[in-house]
Amino acid sequence: MGSTGTGGISRRDMLHGATLAPFALSAAPALSTAPSLSSPMVQAAKPGFTPAALRAQLLLAPDIRYFNAANIGPSFRKVADVQARGNAAFQDNPSREFRERYPLIADRLRARLAARIGARAEEIALVRNASEANSVAVLGLDLKRGDRVVLTAHNHQSTLDTWRLRARREGLELVVLPVPVEATSPQQIVDAFAAAITPGTRAVFLSHITNVTGLAYPIADIAALARKAGAWLHVDGAQTFGWLRLDMTALGVDSYSASTHKWLLGPLEGGVLYVKRDRQAELNPLMLSHGYWLTDPKNLETAQKYEILGQRDDPKLEAIETALDMMDGIGETMIEGGVRHVARTMRTALSRVPGARIVGAAHPDLSGPVITVAFPGKDVTAMRARLWSSAKIATAQNEADGQPLIRFSPHLYNSEDEIALVADLLTRG
């Protein structure tokens, strides 16, 4: 999470909060550590910040009510401008001399991302998205026939499919745990993993928060089980990075993936792969092309070896930095508190819709801003279509246990009025 200053607010928050965002915020209430999913709300209503103020800085059409950050978050206008100017400058002068600036920017970005998630710069690889990061973790481990790999039924499809392909080719034993969607306590989930992780288990892969029903896994407790068995633990953080304050050391994971185009509100095809320094020798890169962002060949001994993928979209580096600037202008404490607040507000509103059933754990430690709702006996596809056609309300559709679901993933830019409109339209059928 980075170093902290007075009142538990990170130096990064204090440095950026007053200078980089037009809606700069005053310091949030003191929190010495990242709040758990059951912590009281950190007040989000601060001078200068409203959902409308944030939305005004996004490239999002004014008539769209957007509840799909779990898929693609609308990008900041400034991020798009920086990327467009960067692309123009690159194409105007694609010389080697001009491009010498990008390895230095990459070094700076790795260090900044590392500070954001409680890691070291040498543990960060810049990849294209969480799916690519997941694939590095899946395919890079040295395994032998009969080795046991523990997954969950709601791993992201990229992870499930890649593991199935590898298991078929190499004779691995895949154990896919059912998702306890209605879990009543974190311990219930931990117990399931404790039963599945045997001495022959070599890897455990799961999502921090699932994109299917929004279940939040108790990662630190599962990490302790994996560590005891000597198994590699990889966590897909696509639904946490950008809104949840993260600390890789506290979580105890061996690798962690993220994308910049979801909750961070950054550019497409920006990804992050964290790999714990003392375990990097156990994870092989998928390919070794030219090291465009290498400033020193010795860095191939760090997580940079996972990003040697050939020519890349160099100007995107500055666009990711700009997204971090904008989000740091709000402050990580503020973002997490605000996202929790809007998620609780929406969960409550949806639970009051006649015929609606929130699918997912009710326990506050097991839920977040990915909210799925079932409407037994109703045509969910038609309901989603009506939300879009009548009020341009953008959602997603999922399925769990054969049951169609509408998925809502609200962010800081969603207002209480928008949430009330969703509930009203659903109530009217």
Side-chain angles (χ1 to χ4, degrees), residues 249-287:
T249 301
L251 288 177
V253 301
D254 296 302
S255 53
Y256 198 95
S257 64
S259 292
T260 63
H261 67 268
K262 296 181 185 289
W263 300 92
L264 190 69
L265 310 181
L268 291 166
E269 292 194 14
V272 182
L273 173 63
Y274 159 85
V275 183
K276 190 176 180 181
R277 186 71 180 96
D278 62 8
R279 301 207 71 176
Q280 289 175 9
E282 302 170 57
L283 185 68
N284 302 301
L286 296 189
M287 65 179 289

PDB file of all heavy atoms in Angstrom, residues 249-287:
ATOM      1  N   THR A 249       1.967  -8.303   0.242  1.00  0.00           N
ATOM      2  CA  THR A 249       2.590  -8.992   1.378  1.00  0.00           C
ATOM      3  C   THR A 249       1.541  -9.466   2.353  1.00  0.00           C
ATOM      4  O   THR A 249       1.587 -10.605   2.843  1.00  0.00           O
ATOM      5  CB  THR A 249       3.592  -8.054   2.076  1.00  0.00           C
ATOM      6  OG1 THR A 249       4.588  -7.640   1.137  1.00  0.00           O
ATOM      7  CG2 THR A 249       4.266  -8.764   3.246  1.00  0.00           C
ATOM      8  N   ALA A 250       0.574  -8.624   2.646  1.00  0.00           N
ATOM      9  CA  ALA A 250      -0.481  -8.999   3.581  1.00  0.00           C
ATOM     10  C   ALA A 250      -1.351 -10.125   3.009  1.00  0.00           C
ATOM     11  O   ALA A 250      -1.777 -11.025   3.740  1.00  0.00           O
ATOM     12  CB  ALA A 250      -1.340  -7.791   3.917  1.00  0.00           C
ATOM     13  N   LEU A 251      -1.599 -10.089   1.715  1.00  0.00           N
ATOM     14  CA  LEU A 251      -2.405 -11.141   1.096  1.00  0.00           C
ATOM     15  C   LEU A 251      -1.656 -12.470   1.051  1.00  0.00           C
ATOM     16  O   LEU A 251      -2.261 -13.536   1.127  1.00  0.00           O
ATOM     17  CB  LEU A 251      -2.816 -10.730  -0.317  1.00  0.00           C
ATOM     18  CG  LEU A 251      -3.873  -9.626  -0.439  1.00  0.00           C
ATOM     19  CD1 LEU A 251      -4.104  -9.290  -1.905  1.00  0.00           C
ATOM     20  CD2 LEU A 251      -5.185 -10.038   0.222  1.00  0.00           C
ATOM     21  N   GLY A 252      -0.339 -12.420   0.869  1.00  0.00           N
ATOM     22  CA  GLY A 252       0.458 -13.641   0.867  1.00  0.00           C
ATOM     23  C   GLY A 252       0.404 -14.433  -0.417  1.00  0.00           C
ATOM     24  O   GLY A 252       0.681 -15.635  -0.426  1.00  0.00           O
ATOM     25  N   VAL A 253       0.074 -13.776  -1.537  1.00  0.00           N
ATOM     26  CA  VAL A 253      -0.031 -14.475  -2.820  1.00  0.00           C
ATOM     27  C   VAL A 253       1.346 -14.609  -3.465  1.00  0.00           C
ATOM     28  O   VAL A 253       2.280 -13.872  -3.148  1.00  0.00           O
ATOM     29  CB  VAL A 253      -0.980 -13.730  -3.768  1.00  0.00           C
ATOM     30  CG1 VAL A 253      -2.356 -13.600  -3.152  1.00  0.00           C
ATOM     31  CG2 VAL A 253      -0.436 -12.351  -4.134  1.00  0.00           C
ATOM     32  N   ASP A 254       1.453 -15.551  -4.401  1.00  0.00           N
ATOM     33  CA  ASP A 254       2.682 -15.699  -5.181  1.00  0.00           C
ATOM     34  C   ASP A 254       2.616 -14.892  -6.469  1.00  0.00           C
ATOM     35  O   ASP A 254       3.642 -14.416  -6.961  1.00  0.00           O
ATOM     36  CB  ASP A 254       2.925 -17.178  -5.493  1.00  0.00           C
ATOM     37  CG  ASP A 254       3.166 -17.981  -4.224  1.00  0.00           C
ATOM     38  OD1 ASP A 254       4.109 -17.655  -3.486  1.00  0.00           O
ATOM     39  OD2 ASP A 254       2.379 -18.916  -3.967  1.00  0.00           O
ATOM     40  N   SER A 255       1.430 -14.751  -7.028  1.00  0.00           N
ATOM     41  CA  SER A 255       1.250 -13.915  -8.214  1.00  0.00           C
ATOM     42  C   SER A 255      -0.162 -13.351  -8.213  1.00  0.00           C
ATOM     43  O   SER A 255      -1.075 -13.913  -7.596  1.00  0.00           O
ATOM     44  CB  SER A 255       1.533 -14.698  -9.502  1.00  0.00           C
ATOM     45  OG  SER A 255       0.780 -15.897  -9.574  1.00  0.00           O
ATOM     46  N   TYR A 256      -0.304 -12.221  -8.907  1.00  0.00           N
ATOM     47  CA  TYR A 256      -1.572 -11.484  -8.895  1.00  0.00           C
ATOM     48  C   TYR A 256      -1.679 -10.751 -10.216  1.00  0.00           C
ATOM     49  O   TYR A 256      -0.692 -10.186 -10.713  1.00  0.00           O
ATOM     50  CB  TYR A 256      -1.551 -10.477  -7.740  1.00  0.00           C
ATOM     51  CG  TYR A 256      -2.901  -9.933  -7.306  1.00  0.00           C
ATOM     52  CD1 TYR A 256      -3.596 -10.517  -6.242  1.00  0.00           C
ATOM     53  CD2 TYR A 256      -3.459  -8.828  -7.919  1.00  0.00           C
ATOM     54  CE1 TYR A 256      -4.807 -10.011  -5.816  1.00  0.00           C
ATOM     55  CE2 TYR A 256      -4.685  -8.321  -7.500  1.00  0.00           C
ATOM     56  CZ  TYR A 256      -5.352  -8.911  -6.448  1.00  0.00           C
ATOM     57  OH  TYR A 256      -6.562  -8.419  -6.011  1.00  0.00           O
ATOM     58  N   SER A 257      -2.862 -10.749 -10.818  1.00  0.00           N
ATOM     59  CA  SER A 257      -3.054 -10.118 -12.116  1.00  0.00           C
ATOM     60  C   SER A 257      -4.050  -8.974 -12.028  1.00  0.00           C
ATOM     61  O   SER A 257      -4.907  -8.943 -11.137  1.00  0.00           O
ATOM     62  CB  SER A 257      -3.562 -11.151 -13.135  1.00  0.00           C
ATOM     63  OG  SER A 257      -4.841 -11.640 -12.744  1.00  0.00           O
ATOM     64  N   ALA A 258      -3.954  -8.038 -12.973  1.00  0.00           N
ATOM     65  CA  ALA A 258      -4.873  -6.900 -12.991  1.00  0.00           C
ATOM     66  C   ALA A 258      -4.908  -6.294 -14.380  1.00  0.00           C
ATOM     67  O   ALA A 258      -4.008  -6.509 -15.195  1.00  0.00           O
ATOM     68  CB  ALA A 258      -4.452  -5.847 -11.968  1.00  0.00           C
ATOM     69  N   SER A 259      -5.969  -5.525 -14.647  1.00  0.00           N
ATOM     70  CA  SER A 259      -6.113  -4.763 -15.883  1.00  0.00           C
ATOM     71  C   SER A 259      -6.323  -3.297 -15.544  1.00  0.00           C
ATOM     72  O   SER A 259      -6.829  -2.972 -14.462  1.00  0.00           O
ATOM     73  CB  SER A 259      -7.310  -5.265 -16.699  1.00  0.00           C
ATOM     74  OG  SER A 259      -7.084  -6.569 -17.203  1.00  0.00           O
ATOM     75  N   THR A 260      -5.973  -2.432 -16.477  1.00  0.00           N
ATOM     76  CA  THR A 260      -6.144  -0.991 -16.245  1.00  0.00           C
ATOM     77  C   THR A 260      -7.465  -0.466 -16.789  1.00  0.00           C
ATOM     78  O   THR A 260      -7.817   0.685 -16.533  1.00  0.00           O
ATOM     79  CB  THR A 260      -5.000  -0.195 -16.895  1.00  0.00           C
ATOM     80  OG1 THR A 260      -5.033  -0.379 -18.326  1.00  0.00           O
ATOM     81  CG2 THR A 260      -3.655  -0.636 -16.351  1.00  0.00           C
ATOM     82  N   HIS A 261      -8.209  -1.272 -17.549  1.00  0.00           N
ATOM     83  CA  HIS A 261      -9.391  -0.760 -18.248  1.00  0.00           C
ATOM     84  C   HIS A 261     -10.699  -0.997 -17.501  1.00  0.00           C
ATOM     85  O   HIS A 261     -11.768  -0.724 -18.044  1.00  0.00           O
ATOM     86  CB  HIS A 261      -9.486  -1.388 -19.646  1.00  0.00           C
ATOM     87  CG  HIS A 261      -9.766  -2.862 -19.630  1.00  0.00           C
ATOM     88  ND1 HIS A 261      -8.755  -3.801 -19.634  1.00  0.00           N
ATOM     89  CD2 HIS A 261     -10.926  -3.555 -19.612  1.00  0.00           C
ATOM     90  CE1 HIS A 261      -9.289  -5.008 -19.617  1.00  0.00           C
ATOM     91  NE2 HIS A 261     -10.612  -4.892 -19.603  1.00  0.00           N
ATOM     92  N   LYS A 262     -10.620  -1.483 -16.276  1.00  0.00           N
ATOM     93  CA  LYS A 262     -11.854  -1.717 -15.517  1.00  0.00           C
ATOM     94  C   LYS A 262     -11.998  -0.647 -14.437  1.00  0.00           C
ATOM     95  O   LYS A 262     -12.313   0.501 -14.709  1.00  0.00           O
ATOM     96  CB  LYS A 262     -11.861  -3.134 -14.940  1.00  0.00           C
ATOM     97  CG  LYS A 262     -11.872  -4.231 -16.006  1.00  0.00           C
ATOM     98  CD  LYS A 262     -11.897  -5.614 -15.388  1.00  0.00           C
ATOM     99  CE  LYS A 262     -11.775  -6.719 -16.424  1.00  0.00           C
ATOM    100  NZ  LYS A 262     -12.991  -6.849 -17.261  1.00  0.00           N
ATOM    101  N   TRP A 263     -11.744  -0.989 -13.210  1.00  0.00           N
ATOM    102  CA  TRP A 263     -12.016  -0.097 -12.084  1.00  0.00           C
ATOM    103  C   TRP A 263     -11.046   1.075 -12.007  1.00  0.00           C
ATOM    104  O   TRP A 263     -11.338   2.084 -11.362  1.00  0.00           O
ATOM    105  CB  TRP A 263     -11.997  -0.899 -10.780  1.00  0.00           C
ATOM    106  CG  TRP A 263     -13.025  -1.983 -10.779  1.00  0.00           C
ATOM    107  CD1 TRP A 263     -12.846  -3.284 -11.171  1.00  0.00           C
ATOM    108  CD2 TRP A 263     -14.401  -1.869 -10.422  1.00  0.00           C
ATOM    109  NE1 TRP A 263     -14.024  -3.987 -11.071  1.00  0.00           N
ATOM    110  CE2 TRP A 263     -14.996  -3.137 -10.606  1.00  0.00           C
ATOM    111  CE3 TRP A 263     -15.188  -0.819  -9.955  1.00  0.00           C
ATOM    112  CZ2 TRP A 263     -16.335  -3.379 -10.336  1.00  0.00           C
ATOM    113  CZ3 TRP A 263     -16.535  -1.060  -9.683  1.00  0.00           C
ATOM    114  CH2 TRP A 263     -17.087  -2.317  -9.884  1.00  0.00           C
ATOM    115  N   LEU A 264      -9.883   0.973 -12.656  1.00  0.00           N
ATOM    116  CA  LEU A 264      -8.931   2.082 -12.669  1.00  0.00           C
ATOM    117  C   LEU A 264      -9.350   3.176 -13.646  1.00  0.00           C
ATOM    118  O   LEU A 264      -8.817   4.286 -13.597  1.00  0.00           O
ATOM    119  CB  LEU A 264      -7.531   1.569 -13.022  1.00  0.00           C
ATOM    120  CG  LEU A 264      -6.384   2.565 -12.853  1.00  0.00           C
ATOM    121  CD1 LEU A 264      -6.135   2.874 -11.381  1.00  0.00           C
ATOM    122  CD2 LEU A 264      -5.112   2.051 -13.512  1.00  0.00           C
ATOM    123  N   LEU A 265     -10.288   2.879 -14.546  1.00  0.00           N
ATOM    124  CA  LEU A 265     -10.777   3.844 -15.537  1.00  0.00           C
ATOM    125  C   LEU A 265      -9.651   4.301 -16.463  1.00  0.00           C
ATOM    126  O   LEU A 265      -9.570   5.471 -16.847  1.00  0.00           O
ATOM    127  CB  LEU A 265     -11.439   5.052 -14.847  1.00  0.00           C
ATOM    128  CG  LEU A 265     -12.495   4.723 -13.785  1.00  0.00           C
ATOM    129  CD1 LEU A 265     -13.075   6.012 -13.202  1.00  0.00           C
ATOM    130  CD2 LEU A 265     -13.588   3.836 -14.359  1.00  0.00           C
ATOM    131  N   GLY A 266      -8.792   3.351 -16.815  1.00  0.00           N
ATOM    132  CA  GLY A 266      -7.653   3.649 -17.666  1.00  0.00           C
ATOM    133  C   GLY A 266      -7.809   3.079 -19.059  1.00  0.00           C
ATOM    134  O   GLY A 266      -8.905   2.713 -19.487  1.00  0.00           O
ATOM    135  N   PRO A 267      -6.696   2.980 -19.805  1.00  0.00           N
ATOM    136  CA  PRO A 267      -6.761   2.547 -21.207  1.00  0.00           C
ATOM    137  C   PRO A 267      -6.922   1.046 -21.353  1.00  0.00           C
ATOM    138  O   PRO A 267      -6.596   0.261 -20.458  1.00  0.00           O
ATOM    139  CB  PRO A 267      -5.405   3.009 -21.756  1.00  0.00           C
ATOM    140  CG  PRO A 267      -4.493   2.947 -20.575  1.00  0.00           C
ATOM    141  CD  PRO A 267      -5.341   3.365 -19.398  1.00  0.00           C
ATOM    142  N   LEU A 268      -7.431   0.648 -22.515  1.00  0.00           N
ATOM    143  CA  LEU A 268      -7.496  -0.764 -22.878  1.00  0.00           C
ATOM    144  C   LEU A 268      -6.084  -1.309 -23.107  1.00  0.00           C
ATOM    145  O   LEU A 268      -5.156  -0.567 -23.404  1.00  0.00           O
ATOM    146  CB  LEU A 268      -8.324  -0.951 -24.144  1.00  0.00           C
ATOM    147  CG  LEU A 268      -9.830  -0.692 -24.038  1.00  0.00           C
ATOM    148  CD1 LEU A 268     -10.425  -0.591 -25.441  1.00  0.00           C
ATOM    149  CD2 LEU A 268     -10.505  -1.802 -23.257  1.00  0.00           C
ATOM    150  N   GLU A 269      -5.968  -2.623 -22.969  1.00  0.00           N
ATOM    151  CA  GLU A 269      -4.712  -3.336 -23.198  1.00  0.00           C
ATOM    152  C   GLU A 269      -3.579  -2.824 -22.321  1.00  0.00           C
ATOM    153  O   GLU A 269      -2.441  -2.673 -22.762  1.00  0.00           O
ATOM    154  CB  GLU A 269      -4.327  -3.305 -24.681  1.00  0.00           C
ATOM    155  CG  GLU A 269      -5.264  -4.118 -25.546  1.00  0.00           C
ATOM    156  CD  GLU A 269      -4.718  -4.375 -26.935  1.00  0.00           C
ATOM    157  OE1 GLU A 269      -3.515  -4.159 -27.164  1.00  0.00           O
ATOM    158  OE2 GLU A 269      -5.506  -4.796 -27.793  1.00  0.00           O
ATOM    159  N   GLY A 270      -3.918  -2.586 -21.056  1.00  0.00           N
ATOM    160  CA  GLY A 270      -2.904  -2.321 -20.050  1.00  0.00           C
ATOM    161  C   GLY A 270      -3.084  -3.336 -18.934  1.00  0.00           C
ATOM    162  O   GLY A 270      -4.177  -3.449 -18.363  1.00  0.00           O
ATOM    163  N   GLY A 271      -2.061  -4.105 -18.650  1.00  0.00           N
ATOM    164  CA  GLY A 271      -2.175  -5.146 -17.631  1.00  0.00           C
ATOM    165  C   GLY A 271      -0.992  -5.139 -16.682  1.00  0.00           C
ATOM    166  O   GLY A 271       0.073  -4.598 -16.985  1.00  0.00           O
ATOM    167  N   VAL A 272      -1.210  -5.755 -15.523  1.00  0.00           N
ATOM    168  CA  VAL A 272      -0.185  -5.824 -14.480  1.00  0.00           C
ATOM    169  C   VAL A 272      -0.081  -7.267 -14.009  1.00  0.00           C
ATOM    170  O   VAL A 272      -1.103  -7.920 -13.767  1.00  0.00           O
ATOM    171  CB  VAL A 272      -0.546  -4.919 -13.281  1.00  0.00           C
ATOM    172  CG1 VAL A 272       0.559  -4.977 -12.224  1.00  0.00           C
ATOM    173  CG2 VAL A 272      -0.784  -3.486 -13.733  1.00  0.00           C
ATOM    174  N   LEU A 273       1.131  -7.747 -13.897  1.00  0.00           N
ATOM    175  CA  LEU A 273       1.383  -9.057 -13.305  1.00  0.00           C
ATOM    176  C   LEU A 273       2.380  -8.877 -12.170  1.00  0.00           C
ATOM    177  O   LEU A 273       3.509  -8.426 -12.393  1.00  0.00           O
ATOM    178  CB  LEU A 273       1.935 -10.041 -14.334  1.00  0.00           C
ATOM    179  CG  LEU A 273       2.402 -11.398 -13.770  1.00  0.00           C
ATOM    180  CD1 LEU A 273       1.233 -12.163 -13.149  1.00  0.00           C
ATOM    181  CD2 LEU A 273       3.069 -12.239 -14.860  1.00  0.00           C
ATOM    182  N   TYR A 274       1.957  -9.209 -10.962  1.00  0.00           N
ATOM    183  CA  TYR A 274       2.851  -9.252  -9.804  1.00  0.00           C
ATOM    184  C   TYR A 274       3.323 -10.681  -9.606  1.00  0.00           C
ATOM    185  O   TYR A 274       2.509 -11.621  -9.650  1.00  0.00           O
ATOM    186  CB  TYR A 274       2.109  -8.774  -8.555  1.00  0.00           C
ATOM    187  CG  TYR A 274       2.745  -9.239  -7.249  1.00  0.00           C
ATOM    188  CD1 TYR A 274       3.796  -8.526  -6.672  1.00  0.00           C
ATOM    189  CD2 TYR A 274       2.303 -10.396  -6.606  1.00  0.00           C
ATOM    190  CE1 TYR A 274       4.386  -8.957  -5.485  1.00  0.00           C
ATOM    191  CE2 TYR A 274       2.884 -10.833  -5.423  1.00  0.00           C
ATOM    192  CZ  TYR A 274       3.926 -10.115  -4.866  1.00  0.00           C
ATOM    193  OH  TYR A 274       4.515 -10.536  -3.703  1.00  0.00           O
ATOM    194  N   VAL A 275       4.627 -10.867  -9.415  1.00  0.00           N
ATOM    195  CA  VAL A 275       5.182 -12.174  -9.069  1.00  0.00           C
ATOM    196  C   VAL A 275       6.150 -11.978  -7.906  1.00  0.00           C
ATOM    197  O   VAL A 275       7.105 -11.195  -8.001  1.00  0.00           O
ATOM    198  CB  VAL A 275       5.909 -12.841 -10.254  1.00  0.00           C
ATOM    199  CG1 VAL A 275       6.398 -14.231  -9.850  1.00  0.00           C
ATOM    200  CG2 VAL A 275       4.995 -12.939 -11.463  1.00  0.00           C
ATOM    201  N   LYS A 276       5.912 -12.657  -6.840  1.00  0.00           N
ATOM    202  CA  LYS A 276       6.729 -12.549  -5.633  1.00  0.00           C
ATOM    203  C   LYS A 276       8.199 -12.807  -5.961  1.00  0.00           C
ATOM    204  O   LYS A 276       8.529 -13.778  -6.651  1.00  0.00           O
ATOM    205  CB  LYS A 276       6.224 -13.549  -4.591  1.00  0.00           C
ATOM    206  CG  LYS A 276       6.825 -13.396  -3.213  1.00  0.00           C
ATOM    207  CD  LYS A 276       6.172 -14.386  -2.257  1.00  0.00           C
ATOM    208  CE  LYS A 276       6.744 -14.254  -0.854  1.00  0.00           C
ATOM    209  NZ  LYS A 276       6.121 -15.252   0.065  1.00  0.00           N
ATOM    210  N   ARG A 277       9.062 -11.951  -5.467  1.00  0.00           N
ATOM    211  CA  ARG A 277      10.477 -11.975  -5.868  1.00  0.00           C
ATOM    212  C   ARG A 277      11.135 -13.316  -5.604  1.00  0.00           C
ATOM    213  O   ARG A 277      11.841 -13.847  -6.470  1.00  0.00           O
ATOM    214  CB  ARG A 277      11.247 -10.861  -5.138  1.00  0.00           C
ATOM    215  CG  ARG A 277      12.697 -10.718  -5.611  1.00  0.00           C
ATOM    216  CD  ARG A 277      12.722 -10.129  -7.007  1.00  0.00           C
ATOM    217  NE  ARG A 277      14.063  -9.961  -7.523  1.00  0.00           N
ATOM    218  CZ  ARG A 277      14.676 -10.834  -8.316  1.00  0.00           C
ATOM    219  NH1 ARG A 277      14.069 -11.968  -8.651  1.00  0.00           N
ATOM    220  NH2 ARG A 277      15.874 -10.600  -8.783  1.00  0.00           N
ATOM    221  N   ASP A 278      10.918 -13.902  -4.440  1.00  0.00           N
ATOM    222  CA  ASP A 278      11.660 -15.119  -4.112  1.00  0.00           C
ATOM    223  C   ASP A 278      11.062 -16.379  -4.744  1.00  0.00           C
ATOM    224  O   ASP A 278      11.546 -17.479  -4.507  1.00  0.00           O
ATOM    225  CB  ASP A 278      11.793 -15.289  -2.596  1.00  0.00           C
ATOM    226  CG  ASP A 278      10.461 -15.442  -1.873  1.00  0.00           C
ATOM    227  OD1 ASP A 278       9.424 -15.567  -2.549  1.00  0.00           O
ATOM    228  OD2 ASP A 278      10.459 -15.430  -0.630  1.00  0.00           O
ATOM    229  N   ARG A 279      10.033 -16.213  -5.592  1.00  0.00           N
ATOM    230  CA  ARG A 279       9.472 -17.364  -6.297  1.00  0.00           C
ATOM    231  C   ARG A 279       9.539 -17.209  -7.816  1.00  0.00           C
ATOM    232  O   ARG A 279       9.025 -18.059  -8.554  1.00  0.00           O
ATOM    233  CB  ARG A 279       8.027 -17.619  -5.856  1.00  0.00           C
ATOM    234  CG  ARG A 279       7.876 -17.889  -4.364  1.00  0.00           C
ATOM    235  CD  ARG A 279       6.668 -18.737  -4.056  1.00  0.00           C
ATOM    236  NE  ARG A 279       6.841 -20.121  -4.485  1.00  0.00           N
ATOM    237  CZ  ARG A 279       5.939 -21.090  -4.248  1.00  0.00           C
ATOM    238  NH1 ARG A 279       4.820 -20.792  -3.605  1.00  0.00           N
ATOM    239  NH2 ARG A 279       6.142 -22.317  -4.665  1.00  0.00           N
ATOM    240  N   GLN A 280      10.162 -16.147  -8.289  1.00  0.00           N
ATOM    241  CA  GLN A 280      10.201 -15.911  -9.732  1.00  0.00           C
ATOM    242  C   GLN A 280      10.965 -16.984 -10.492  1.00  0.00           C
ATOM    243  O   GLN A 280      10.657 -17.257 -11.657  1.00  0.00           O
ATOM    244  CB  GLN A 280      10.791 -14.525 -10.015  1.00  0.00           C
ATOM    245  CG  GLN A 280       9.856 -13.397  -9.626  1.00  0.00           C
ATOM    246  CD  GLN A 280      10.474 -12.023  -9.783  1.00  0.00           C
ATOM    247  OE1 GLN A 280      11.562 -11.866 -10.331  1.00  0.00           O
ATOM    248  NE2 GLN A 280       9.792 -11.010  -9.284  1.00  0.00           N
ATOM    249  N   ALA A 281      11.919 -17.632  -9.845  1.00  0.00           N
ATOM    250  CA  ALA A 281      12.671 -18.693 -10.528  1.00  0.00           C
ATOM    251  C   ALA A 281      11.778 -19.886 -10.862  1.00  0.00           C
ATOM    252  O   ALA A 281      12.111 -20.691 -11.738  1.00  0.00           O
ATOM    253  CB  ALA A 281      13.836 -19.148  -9.655  1.00  0.00           C
ATOM    254  N   GLU A 282      10.620 -19.985 -10.196  1.00  0.00           N
ATOM    255  CA  GLU A 282       9.712 -21.109 -10.422  1.00  0.00           C
ATOM    256  C   GLU A 282       8.696 -20.844 -11.524  1.00  0.00           C
ATOM    257  O   GLU A 282       7.957 -21.748 -11.916  1.00  0.00           O
ATOM    258  CB  GLU A 282       8.957 -21.437  -9.127  1.00  0.00           C
ATOM    259  CG  GLU A 282       9.845 -21.774  -7.952  1.00  0.00           C
ATOM    260  CD  GLU A 282       9.053 -21.855  -6.664  1.00  0.00           C
ATOM    261  OE1 GLU A 282       8.090 -22.661  -6.601  1.00  0.00           O
ATOM    262  OE2 GLU A 282       9.361 -21.106  -5.717  1.00  0.00           O
ATOM    263  N   LEU A 283       8.649 -19.606 -12.023  1.00  0.00           N
ATOM    264  CA  LEU A 283       7.669 -19.255 -13.047  1.00  0.00           C
ATOM    265  C   LEU A 283       8.391 -18.806 -14.308  1.00  0.00           C
ATOM    266  O   LEU A 283       9.092 -17.793 -14.306  1.00  0.00           O
ATOM    267  CB  LEU A 283       6.744 -18.146 -12.537  1.00  0.00           C
ATOM    268  CG  LEU A 283       5.584 -17.774 -13.467  1.00  0.00           C
ATOM    269  CD1 LEU A 283       4.581 -18.925 -13.556  1.00  0.00           C
ATOM    270  CD2 LEU A 283       4.890 -16.499 -12.996  1.00  0.00           C
ATOM    271  N   ASN A 284       8.203 -19.551 -15.386  1.00  0.00           N
ATOM    272  CA  ASN A 284       8.877 -19.261 -16.644  1.00  0.00           C
ATOM    273  C   ASN A 284       8.083 -18.254 -17.475  1.00  0.00           C
ATOM    274  O   ASN A 284       6.851 -18.236 -17.428  1.00  0.00           O
ATOM    275  CB  ASN A 284       9.029 -20.552 -17.454  1.00  0.00           C
ATOM    276  CG  ASN A 284       9.787 -21.610 -16.691  1.00  0.00           C
ATOM    277  OD1 ASN A 284      10.926 -21.403 -16.294  1.00  0.00           O
ATOM    278  ND2 ASN A 284       9.145 -22.750 -16.462  1.00  0.00           N
ATOM    279  N   PRO A 285       8.760 -17.431 -18.268  1.00  0.00           N
ATOM    280  CA  PRO A 285       8.042 -16.548 -19.206  1.00  0.00           C
ATOM    281  C   PRO A 285       7.465 -17.356 -20.359  1.00  0.00           C
ATOM    282  O   PRO A 285       7.925 -18.456 -20.662  1.00  0.00           O
ATOM    283  CB  PRO A 285       9.137 -15.593 -19.686  1.00  0.00           C
ATOM    284  CG  PRO A 285      10.405 -16.361 -19.526  1.00  0.00           C
ATOM    285  CD  PRO A 285      10.214 -17.236 -18.314  1.00  0.00           C
ATOM    286  N   LEU A 286       6.441 -16.797 -21.000  1.00  0.00           N
ATOM    287  CA  LEU A 286       5.820 -17.484 -22.131  1.00  0.00           C
ATOM    288  C   LEU A 286       6.610 -17.300 -23.409  1.00  0.00           C
ATOM    289  O   LEU A 286       6.601 -18.154 -24.296  1.00  0.00           O
ATOM    290  CB  LEU A 286       4.386 -16.974 -22.345  1.00  0.00           C
ATOM    291  CG  LEU A 286       3.395 -17.231 -21.214  1.00  0.00           C
ATOM    292  CD1 LEU A 286       1.989 -16.872 -21.661  1.00  0.00           C
ATOM    293  CD2 LEU A 286       3.447 -18.690 -20.773  1.00  0.00           C
ATOM    294  N   MET A 287       7.272 -16.171 -23.557  1.00  0.00           N
ATOM    295  CA  MET A 287       8.091 -15.926 -24.735  1.00  0.00           C
ATOM    296  C   MET A 287       9.163 -14.908 -24.387  1.00  0.00           C
ATOM    297  O   MET A 287       9.049 -14.181 -23.395  1.00  0.00           O
ATOM    298  CB  MET A 287       7.236 -15.415 -25.906  1.00  0.00           C
ATOM    299  CG  MET A 287       6.594 -14.059 -25.698  1.00  0.00           C
ATOM    300  SD  MET A 287       5.627 -13.497 -27.132  1.00  0.00           S
ATOM    301  CE  MET A 287       6.936 -13.141 -28.307  1.00  0.00           C
TER     302      MET A 287
END
